Amino acid sequence: MQRSQKRRSSSMSNRLYYQPPIQDVESYCLPQFRSLDRELCYSDSGRSHGAHFSAKNSFQLYSTLESSSGNGSVNMYKSPSTVSFSPSGSPMSQQDSHSYLPDQHNSPENTYGSPISGSCVTDDMSDWKYKLKELESAMLGPDLSILDNYEIAYQKGTRNSSNETESWGQIMESISIRDVKQVLICCAKAVLDNDLLVAQWLMDELRRMVSVSGEPIQRLGAYMLEGLVARLASSGSNICKALKCKEPASSELLSYMHILYELCPYFKFGYMSANGAIAEAMKDENRVHIIDFQVAQGGQWITLIQAFAARPGGPPHIRITGIDDSMSAYARGGGLSIVGKKLSKLAETFKVPFEFNAVAISGSEVQLEDLAIRPGEALAVNFAFVLHHKADESVSTQNHRDRLLRLVKSLSPTVVTLVEQESNTNTAAFYPRFVETLNYYTAMFESIDVTLSREHKERINVEQHCLAREVVNIIACEGSERVERHELLGKWKLRFKMAGFTPYPLSSLVNATIKTLLENYCKKYRLEERDGALYLGWMNRYLVTSSAWQ
């Protein structure tokens, strides 16, 4: 009882669950996401700038979300109020611009008192080199050369200076042409290098470029910038707690999820392919037990119950164990009992024997006794958009990600379905993770842009409540606070194989069903079947994968 109460009190970070609502068989809704600030807004205006750029001392100026700690205080870098540029194109503060070279003629290092501009030893350069060579040979031996080492060091320094100048030239060009993506990358690099002055200057420039109502890269840029602000202000670990924004009503939240579910085929693709694999694996079974590690609204199972109802010879007895946590209760407007009652009513309508087992705890806390395994039932386990939220060996010695796979394997399931985002953000360091996130969500925002006009009044709400929070989490947070930890299918395959699973290739019927689904969407979506798994992408970027195991 104590363990159960402890589990119920634990909360989980927001998740990417997009499922049809079970209130209406023909409609869809999705689970809960905590809201972002409704007042989040970036200026879309901007003009070309001269040689000086303001670098604000307060990070709050750049924030679209509340990027402060829970008590409202933020440790901030006190930068100079103005940034100017040296002739090489690199920024320097006003203090730097007043710096001078030391008095070289009277410098302690110039012990001989000879003018720097003249020859230090003799006016005859050839004679000077000869004398230096003789000294080197006498002191160091014939194979070492002070002069050669000096020339190498000088050339290396020249190259570094040249590369730095070239880098600043690229930054200035990116700003002048308003290349949001490149400036974001440069800003991330400055944050990585702890170059606070440059980071704040670029944030100021980005604030003039991004807009939550602009082009896809401008909209995504607003949330990427927020992540950088939070990271630089060291408030990433508290950002979810520090948001002081009004939570939308659960009905509004479900509406936003419904819109996104209909806008993009990614989530329908995932649930339909998983259902297809389960239906095929269970086609001859009389008693079926489905364990859903993130049941959310339970909407994924509507079409599967309907499919079983139409099965030749009659439907099997279906028992669904729905695992959840308290965070999803808000979107439902109540606990898992709501899901159980509605699914039971649906099954009754289609004359399908049905039971629902509610496990109102986080998936990371699940133990064998929670699953109520019964002999004589064929077992299917569904991991849809959930495993990437489980901490692995890089975060915790408990390694729930692999522990759950081993637990499930010990149950000898008939089939296990995996649906995940095809992105590599789990163990990647900050900078490559930033670039990966930028590329991944650029494709996602572009696909939304094709379907939903920028003038649509709900589009900002959809992107804020469904996508922005996880973008900020990936960029701003580290350790256990970073819960969005995606892996590529190749890495998931290794984990499943290490747990003892073998692939269960998806059938051609599932592939054909997904192709039919995509006919209702933009031609830029593409589907590929590879090694028994399905990949769904936007243009040249894969975004979601679906696979099955046994």
Side-chain angles (χ1 to χ4, degrees):
M1 176 64 72
Q2 290 179 349
R3 185 165 69 89
S4 175
Q5 290 174 345
K6 180 181 179 181
R7 291 172 177 175
R8 284 167 174 77
S9 66
S10 65
S11 63
M12 237 175 137
S13 175
N14 309 298
R15 295 172 164 76
L16 190 65
Y17 315 118
Y18 303 93
Q19 298 184 359
I22 60 180
Q23 294 95 320
D24 183 348
V25 173
E26 298 299 325
S27 63
Y28 297 88
C29 69
L30 296 159
Q32 175 215 1
F33 278 78
R34 297 183 63 89
S35 68
L36 303 184
D37 195 337
R38 288 173 176 268
E39 297 179 357
L40 182 152
C41 183
Y42 275 95
S43 171
D44 193 23
S45 63
R47 296 291 184 269
S48 59
H49 310 291
H52 294 277
F53 299 84
S54 296
K56 308 299 182 186
N57 286 326
S58 173
F59 282 111
Q60 295 176 347
L61 178 62
Y62 307 114
S63 300
T64 60
L65 312 178
E66 289 285 341
S67 298
S68 60
S69 60
N71 61 10
S73 64
V74 178
N75 294 327
M76 284 173 285
Y77 171 73
K78 303 300 183 181
S79 67
S81 60
T82 305
V83 179
S84 60
F85 285 86
S86 66
S88 65
S90 61
M92 57 184 179
S93 67
Q94 284 183 338
Q95 291 94 320
D96 293 335
S97 65
H98 292 297
S99 298
Y100 297 93
L101 290 173
D103 185 349
Q104 294 173 323
H105 292 282
N106 296 293
S107 171
E109 296 181 5
N110 188 14
T111 56
Y112 293 98
S114 59
I116 295 297
S117 60
S119 172
C120 295
V121 180
T122 176
D123 293 332
D124 188 338
M125 183 59 67
S126 297
D127 186 48
W128 173 73
K129 288 186 177 181
Y130 175 76
K131 292 180 182 295
L132 182 58
K133 194 69 177 179
E134 280 187 334
L135 181 60
E136 290 171 5
S137 298
M139 298 179 64
L140 305 175
D143 295 330
L144 296 177
S145 171
I146 296 174
L147 184 60
D148 291 342
N149 289 338
Y150 170 78
E151 289 177 348
I152 292 172
Y154 175 79
Q155 291 172 3
K156 182 178 179 180
T158 301
R159 286 195 300 270
N160 290 340
S161 178
S162 177
N163 291 338
E164 182 179 351
T165 301
E166 182 179 353
S167 175
W168 281 109
Q170 292 173 350
I171 293 175
M172 295 305 297
E173 181 181 4
S174 299
I175 292 174
S176 66
I177 63 176
R178 301 178 67 81
D179 186 342
V180 176
K181 184 174 183 177
Q182 190 58 43
V183 178
L184 280 168
I185 291 174
C186 293
C187 188
K189 185 62 166 60
V191 172
L192 173 68
D193 295 338
N194 201 31
D195 193 341
L196 303 183
L197 181 61
V198 174
Q200 291 188 62
W201 163 58
L202 291 177
M203 287 175 181
D204 194 31
E205 293 302 319
L206 282 167
R207 187 171 179 269
R208 298 182 178 94
M209 298 180 188
V210 300
S211 169
V212 295
S213 59
E215 297 178 358
I217 188 60
Q218 289 180 301
R219 304 198 306 267
L220 173 60
Y223 307 122
M224 299 289 286
L225 175 57
E226 174 59 30
L228 290 173
V229 169
R231 185 180 184 89
L232 196 59
S234 300
S235 63
S237 61
N238 296 317
I239 192 167
C240 294
K241 303 173 186 176
L243 290 176
K244 301 171 183 177
C245 52
K246 181 180 179 182
E247 194 77 61
S250 59
S251 58
E252 292 178 344
L253 192 55
L254 290 177
S255 175
Y256 303 150
M257 302 303 104
H258 166 67
I259 293 173
L260 185 60
Y261 186 90
E262 293 295 340
L263 280 179
C264 308
Y266 309 121
F267 315 109
K268 289 182 183 179
F269 157 80
Y271 299 134
M272 289 177 65
S273 58
N275 285 356
I278 293 172
E280 180 164 328
M282 302 296 182
K283 61 184 178 182
D284 298 321
E285 302 293 343
N286 293 323
R287 300 187 69 83
V288 175
H289 182 195
I290 300 172
I291 300 176
D292 188 349
F293 267 81
Q294 186 55 60
V295 71
Q297 313 308 315
Q300 176 179 349
W301 308 116
I302 293 174
T303 55
L304 187 62
I305 291 174
Q306 291 175 308
F308 276 134
R311 193 177 73 172
H317 179 279
I318 300 176
R319 186 162 65 99
I320 293 179
T321 292
I323 300 170
D324 209 8
D325 71 290
S326 59
M327 294 295 290
S328 294
Y330 178 81
R332 287 191 300 265
L336 283 173
S337 60
I338 295 176
V339 178
K341 289 178 182 178
K342 291 181 178 179
L343 283 178
S344 296
K345 184 176 181 180
L346 175 71
E348 183 180 358
T349 301
F350 287 94
K351 296 181 172 54
V352 175
F354 182 81
E355 291 181 62
F356 185 79
N357 175 37
V359 182
I361 59 175
S362 163
S364 296
E365 299 177 344
V366 169
Q367 301 294 335
L368 177 61
E369 59 268 23
D370 299 313
L371 302 178
I373 301 299
R374 298 175 186 171
E377 290 180 329
L379 179 63
V381 178
N382 184 54
F383 289 113
F385 300 109
V386 62
L387 271 183
H388 72 270
H389 287 125
K390 309 307 174 190
D392 72 345
E393 66 279 3
S394 68
V395 180
S396 169
T397 56
Q398 294 179 303
N399 190 3
H400 293 299
R401 190 169 297 198
D402 290 330
R403 182 188 70 82
L404 290 176
L405 293 182
R406 292 192 297 268
L407 172 63
V408 168
K409 181 59 181 176
S410 72
L411 305 177
S412 301
T414 302
V415 66
V416 177
T417 53
L418 173 70
V419 181
E420 278 294 348
Q421 293 157 267
E422 184 69 353
S423 182
N424 185 20
T425 63
N426 181 27
T427 57
F430 164 68
Y431 183 70
R433 186 170 79 237
F434 181 92
V435 175
E436 170 76 354
T437 303
L438 180 58
N439 291 332
Y440 182 91
Y441 285 94
T442 294
M444 182 74 75
F445 274 64
E446 286 177 352
S447 65
I448 293 175
D449 203 57
V450 169
T451 310
L452 192 64
S453 67
R454 297 174 195 174
E455 292 74 26
H456 197 289
K457 63 180 181 179
E458 299 293 355
R459 185 192 50 71
I460 294 178
N461 286 328
V462 167
E463 291 174 348
Q464 285 182 354
H465 297 302
C466 302
L467 300 174
R469 180 67 65 105
E470 61 190 55
V471 169
V472 173
N473 181 262
I474 293 171
I475 295 170
C477 299
E478 295 294 348
S480 60
E481 297 289 345
R482 181 160 62 86
V483 297
E484 301 294 339
R485 292 178 168 272
H486 308 100
E487 291 185 319
L488 300 175
L489 181 56
K491 185 60 180 291
W492 290 117
K493 286 181 176 180
L494 290 176
R495 291 189 185 277
F496 271 78
K497 289 178 180 178
M498 288 178 62
F501 289 97
T502 56
Y504 184 97
L506 298 175
S507 70
S508 57
L509 179 60
V510 174
N511 197 340
T513 302
I514 300 301
K515 287 182 178 179
T516 302
L517 167 69
L518 292 181
E519 290 176 358
N520 300 317
Y521 290 89
C522 177
K523 301 300 181 183
K524 292 183 179 180
Y525 289 106
R526 64 171 181 153
L527 180 70
E528 181 177 336
E529 182 179 4
R530 190 193 313 161
D531 299 328
L534 291 178
Y535 293 73
L536 178 63
W538 172 259
M539 299 179 67
N540 63 343
R541 172 78 200 211
Y542 291 118
L543 296 176
V544 182
T545 62
S546 180
S547 60
W549 303 83
Q550 60 184 3

